[in-house]
Amino acid sequence: MIDQAGAAITNWLASAHDTPTRARREFDVGIALVPTGTKFDAIRLPAPVVHAAAGSSAPEAVVAFLAEGLKVGAVIHDAYGVGVWYYALVPPGTYDHWRVPGVECLAPGTWLGVPRLDFLSRPGPHWALPPRAVGSVCDARAVAALVLRGRDRLDVVPGAERTL
């Protein structure tokens, strides 16, 4: 059961969909497909870069790092399959100005699997850093700094695989 604040956040996330009631029904099952570009954009971050920036791949350490570095933002961890990604929700319009090579800001209208607010651990997509309020997005500059820190650490770690 989600509280009033959780319901407001869910409604905000669902409002990005052309049919918010459909998105809310999808949240009832677990994961809603929501297009980027109206309420938020999303930056897809390779897990090795996030883990290098955090100095750890341990979930608790990564969450603590994201909470410290991104403050009030929201980050989805998609842990399915071979490709493991994090998606930082950022303000709409970020796509037009994102210039960090090798790290994609999803084009407006890209469908993103957004987990229900109580999905906080594996398996599958879950919130590494859940939104705490309506409009909780990461500062794109803070996300860029995270990427640069992770890349720098990957460049100096012997045997680390360069993913970008």
Side-chain angles (χ1 to χ4, degrees):
M1 185 85 176
I2 66 173
D3 62 11
Q4 189 173 3
I9 294 166
T10 298
N11 286 334
W12 168 68
L13 292 167
S15 73
H17 198 287
D18 291 341
T19 312
T21 55
R22 179 178 177 174
R24 281 192 290 278
R25 282 193 309 269
E26 291 176 359
F27 280 127
D28 288 342
V29 176
I31 297 173
L33 289 176
V34 180
T36 60
T38 57
K39 300 296 178 179
F40 55 84
D41 284 352
I43 298 172
R44 181 172 37 208
L45 304 165
V49 171
V50 174
H51 297 165
S56 175
S57 62
E60 304 81 21
V62 173
V63 167
F65 171 77
L66 292 172
E68 176 65 27
L70 300 179
K71 306 292 183 223
V72 297
V75 179
I76 297 167
H77 184 197
D78 186 355
Y80 273 132
V82 176
V84 179
W85 303 96
Y86 289 85
Y87 293 87
L89 302 188
V90 291
T94 298
Y95 175 81
D96 295 331
H97 308 288
W98 185 253
R99 300 289 181 264
V100 178
V103 176
E104 179 183 15
C105 184
L106 303 180
T110 301
W111 293 92
L112 179 65
V114 178
R116 191 169 66 201
L117 290 179
D118 62 347
F119 281 24
L120 300 173
S121 62
R122 293 177 185 222
H126 59 278
W127 292 102
L129 189 60
R132 295 186 207 155
V134 170
S136 286
V137 292
C138 303
D139 181 324
R141 291 175 302 232
V143 176
L146 177 153
V147 170
L148 296 175
R149 179 178 178 170
R151 284 177 153 176
D152 286 348
R153 287 185 170 185
L154 285 174
D155 280 343
V156 298
V157 176
E161 181 180 333
R162 177 74 183 211
T163 60
L164 300 175

